[in-house]
Amino acid sequence: MKRVISILLVLMSMAHLYGADNQRSVKLQELNVLEDTHGYGADSQRTVTSLNFGWRFHAGDIAGAEALGFDDSGWQTINVPHDFQISQPWIPPSKDEKADNSDAASNVKSRLSSRGFKEMGIGWYRKTINPDASWKDKRVIIDFEGIMLVGDVYLNGERIGGTDYGYIGFDIDISKLLKYGQDNVIAVKANTQKPENSRWYTGGGLFRDVNLIITDAQQYFTRNPLYITTPVANETKAVIMVQAEMACYEKVENLNVNTKIIDAAGNVVYDKTNQLPYNRGQKINEYKVDSIVIDNPNLWSCETPYLYEAKLTLLRQDGTVADQVNEKFGVRTIEYSPSFGFKLNGKKVILKGIANHHTLGALGAAAYPRAMEKRIQMLKEFGFNHVRTSHNPYSKSFLDLCDKYGMLVVDELYDKWLTKFAGGRIEWENLWQHDIPEFIRRDRNHPSVVMWSLGNELQTYWNIPYADWGVTPYRMQKVLLNRYDTTRPVTVAMHPRGRNLQTDSLPAPLVHETDIAAYNYRYMYFPGDSKRFPNMIFYQSEANTAMMGPNYYEMNLDKVVGLAYWGMIDYLGESNGWPAKGWAHGVFDISLEPKPMAYFLRSIFKEEEPLVHIGIIDSDDNTVWNDVKVGTESISEHWNRKAGSTLSLYTYTNADEVELFVNGKSIGKKVNDKDNPKQRNRIKWDNVKYEAGKIEAVAYNNGSVVARHKIETTGDAVALKAEADNQNWSADGMDLQHVRIVAVDKKGRRDYGARQKLTFSVSGPAEIVGVINGDITSDELSVGNTRCLYNGTATVILRSKQEPGKVVLTTSTDGMKAVKTQLTVK
């Protein structure tokens, strides 16, 4: 029988907003009157308050920094999210380091090439709080969404918890540890560990949210308590099964739980209270709360990502509220099969994706929701519908945004199943039993998550525990994973798809264990493996830019799940050598400017949208990475060339044919060879003679013009133009405004040759948190208030403060009039 994985479920995502607190000392008695930051309502006993603001920070280790009486008055004041590595100076390699191939130099080279030319180290954070006496009978939790790369948490000098794998969140019950009527100090020690403990730039510190959660101490919902599936989900009917884990320390016969389902317009479409039998011998237990029928539900999809909200209220025996949790969710079905790959709501969908690390350009690892949203919006515009979280869980906010925008996620937990790649502090064998429950319970209710991945490129390691190429560790992990979710398939991304390059003729033993055969780059084996192993379902978990086009069109798109192109947004770390500070083979540069090849990919991913775009070949790059050619031709799109030169160029198009004009004169018309995967959507033109003026490509379908693209010879820049991206800039202290600065000539055209240094200043309730351009080789830091233009652009990133008002950004450079950008924080 053909293997079919059919999944019917309703999924939810935590609506995650942020509260107010910008003082170093948090007077906790005031929190009772602060706005409820997670929408629990006035009648809820649960409060969730952001602790992101007003931390003291010190770079480097310092003895006694955890102590209650330690003097931190000389430390820097920062707000979370925070990446302390991003502001560190670059550490270039010396000539001796470049030449040294000894084992002793391997750690240095790892730091230099993989971890972004930054020094490894420790950062200390301290925050003072003053709890209210009324909380003595409450349950008080401090919640960390992550500490990079490992971390330890102290309260009043005593270690109370921490993390050995910083991508996974945790919480600590401090109810009995707080000292009332006086200041309490939370101290956090974050450690990036050794250079070899990651293969990419991780950043360091409190890079994700920190929250304070207060609930009733006798009856409450536990951490990540909800699990919702649907045995039936279609356009006419959805049956929603709601499960919740709750704690009860009172002598009661039943637990009373109210469930409300609220649609996107705010209408309550379901409201019922159920009595659940309570077993006094099990103080914490999972309960089947309700089975709900919704008629004519709005289905969640990539095109219409409709979200409902579920609100569960735990009631005391007298009817008052003990606790309440609420999450957004979407109704949808997913199916997998060797015969069709992947279906969403019964319709075939190809995953058109990106596999990137978690960092965010100028911001480093600091997990700002608006920075993630900007990237998701850009990816959607260019036809992407999928993200693989390589090679670790992203933040909760990221998944919320994928739910909102209709992005399909392959959610990945680890890189290699080796201690050195999983924090490096304790053995990996002692991590996964804790990490998997936290990972799955946090993410299992997101409609965007359609597949779990437990690791990456690990099946070639014999020294993985149990010495059977990963088979036994996978089986053990999957059993535990399925304890918490059975609604999605499980995989491991593999490269090569055999045990090693010499035995790549057959799939590795681990391939036969996974639900989905996930091959990095080795898509050419899909047809042969499908014949030998007809039950296999194929997903190209990484695809390289150098083979873009063929590695999509040469797959059997009717049968495969899809693909994720590696490193489509340039990022820090994994450099191919100084002066490049990171990966430079994406189709978007590190400042999010699209390169010409982005339009090639767009022509593939959005076949229904006619497109033509010119890309001029400057040089070729034969870089090999991971035994795969990742280097591509260097391509630009300006028309300021050397007089008399002869050029080669591409016109990227999904139309039938393209005509090319130089200064209005046709130099020919060429057909898009759609039957040839190696040439499809990419028409090459050689021996094009440069003439100052303009070059224009005109695309035709059935003889009619459907798209145009032209580039012109520009003059030198005479002015700066500012473009802000966020019209609804929130005064929540977390929201960002990206302001793109463009140097233009006297006709308002971008001058790609402009390289002037810009200086930024800001007045009003905002601060500069990042400055960036697209030059991955630049020695400039992405902090401060200056940045040079590159290809005529640079971007400054502003973070709002916790008050509304007018913001004025002034951008200046020598020889041009300063530009003032008027902005409003609402």
Side-chain angles (χ1 to χ4, degrees), residues 720 755-759 789 811-818:
L720 300 175
R755 299 295 297 264
Q756 290 92 330
K757 185 176 183 178
L758 306 178
T759 299
L789 295 163
T811 307
S812 59
T813 190
D814 292 342
M816 298 184 202
K817 183 180 178 180

Side-chain angles (χ1 to χ4, degrees), residues 55 78 137 160 162 191 374 388 399 411 417 419 428 466 598 615 749:
W55 289 82
I78 63 93
D137 296 325
I160 58 173
N191 192 336
K374 185 175 180 66
R388 174 183 166 217
L399 292 180
D411 205 356
W417 297 336
T419 300
W428 175 81
Y466 311 111
R749 301 171 300 188

Side-chain angles (χ1 to χ4, degrees), residues 636-650:
S636 60
E637 53 179 315
H638 65 83
W639 197 240
N640 288 60
R641 305 286 168 172
K642 184 178 179 181
S645 60
T646 300
L647 308 171
S648 293
L649 59 87
Y650 291 111

Side-chain angles (χ1 to χ4, degrees), residues 711-745:
I711 53 179
E712 298 179 317
T713 305
T714 63
D716 292 338
V718 297
L720 300 175
K721 182 172 66 173
E723 303 168 350
D725 76 330
N726 189 352
Q727 298 301 311
N728 297 297
W729 195 11
S730 174
D732 61 1
M734 290 288 297
D735 203 7
L736 301 180
Q737 184 78 256
H738 297 74
V739 183
R740 179 176 180 255
I741 307 299
V742 185
V744 298
D745 69 4

Side-chain angles (χ1 to χ4, degrees), residues 300-302 332 334 342 344 349-352 385-388 402 406-410 447-450:
W300 185 95
S301 69
C302 296
R332 55 93 166 132
I334 59 175
F342 172 72
L344 177 64
V349 173
I350 291 285
L351 269 58
K352 303 172 182 178
N385 64 9
H386 162 49
V387 177
R388 174 183 166 217
C402 287
M407 294 291 280
L408 304 170
V409 176
V410 172
S448 55
V449 177
V450 296

Side-chain angles (χ1 to χ4, degrees), residues 685-731:
W685 306 74
D686 291 316
N687 301 314
V688 177
K689 294 182 179 180
Y690 171 71
E691 297 177 11
K694 68 177 180 180
I695 183 170
E696 183 174 22
V698 180
Y700 303 87
N701 278 339
N702 300 317
S704 298
V705 176
V706 293
R708 295 176 180 269
H709 180 230
K710 72 176 179 180
I711 53 179
E712 298 179 317
T713 305
T714 63
D716 292 338
V718 297
L720 300 175
K721 182 172 66 173
E723 303 168 350
D725 76 330
N726 189 352
Q727 298 301 311
N728 297 297
W729 195 11
S730 174

Side-chain angles (χ1 to χ4, degrees), residues 248-275:
C248 181
Y249 295 92
E250 294 184 341
K251 295 181 179 180
V252 298
E253 296 296 325
N254 300 295
L255 296 181
N256 300 319
V257 182
N258 175 264
T259 303
K260 289 185 176 68
I261 304 296
I262 304 165
D263 69 15
N267 302 308
V268 176
V269 297
Y270 181 85
D271 185 350
K272 185 179 180 182
T273 299
N274 290 311
Q275 287 190 336

